[in-house]
Amino acid sequence: MQVEIQIDSSYIDPKVIILTASMTEDVNCIVKKLSEDAAQIISGHKDEKIEILEQTDLIRIYANSGKVFAVTNKGEYILRLRLYEVEDRLPSDQFIRISNSEIINLKKVNNFDLSFTGTICVKLSNGMITYVSRRYVPKLKKILGIWGEYYEKENY
């Protein structure tokens, strides 16, 4: 991708133009990033209190029995958002959906175990273990930089 910046005093507000042959996932991601407002607040309920949850403290967010939970080192909180709403509020370069019911913070992952056939085992910083569903394995491998012919045929 090429990036070009032109300084022109006739522009009061910045103007962004994207030139592309087609709409790709990368282009959609750039558009989403450029149109994002400041980080949105996520609040959780615990012990009849509402707390503001810092995105950097989130380890995992998951849905279970019709409720959405957020896990931090301080404990588990119930959220009043749907999982897709939480996903929209989180930066996509730090948080990734690993199944239809779970999002993890990549910065809170100790390691990924690829020895499981068809899936990936994830060990989180708080000791929890979770699994990437088959549907989300290719996306995670791409993010980790292990997606490709060599890895698919030789190692995984």
Side-chain angles (χ1 to χ4, degrees), residues 53-66:
L53 304 178
E54 295 293 330
Q55 292 180 359
T56 55
D57 295 337
L58 295 171
I59 298 171
R60 72 187 277 245
I61 302 96
Y62 69 97
N64 188 13
S65 302

Side-chain angles (χ1 to χ4, degrees), residues 10-103:
S10 67
Y11 286 93
I12 295 169
D13 291 326
K15 179 180 180 179
V16 177
I17 299 172
I18 299 172
L19 304 172
T20 182
S22 64
M23 284 302 286
T24 64
E25 188 175 329
D26 288 340
V27 172
N28 282 329
C29 211
I30 291 168
V31 170
K32 183 179 176 184
K33 287 285 186 196
L34 289 172
S35 44
E36 278 180 0
D37 294 329
Q40 295 181 345
I41 293 175
I42 297 175
S43 62
H45 302 267
K46 180 180 168 192
D47 301 328
E48 297 185 22
K49 295 179 184 176
I50 297 174
E51 293 184 37
I52 303 297
L53 304 178
E54 295 293 330
Q55 292 180 359
T56 55
D57 295 337
L58 295 171
I59 298 171
R60 72 187 277 245
I61 302 96
Y62 69 97
N64 188 13
S65 302
K67 294 182 180 179
V68 176
F69 300 89
V71 178
T72 71
N73 284 329
K74 295 180 187 176
E76 191 168 277
Y77 297 83
I78 297 174
L79 307 182
R80 289 202 174 147
L81 296 167
R82 301 222 181 256
L83 198 60
Y84 73 88
E85 293 172 320
V86 176
E87 185 176 29
D88 287 343
R89 293 180 181 216
L90 297 171
S92 59
D93 60 333
Q94 183 177 346
F95 291 87
I96 182 171
R97 187 180 282 254
I98 61 167
S99 71
N100 285 337
S101 60
E102 187 169 6
I103 299 167

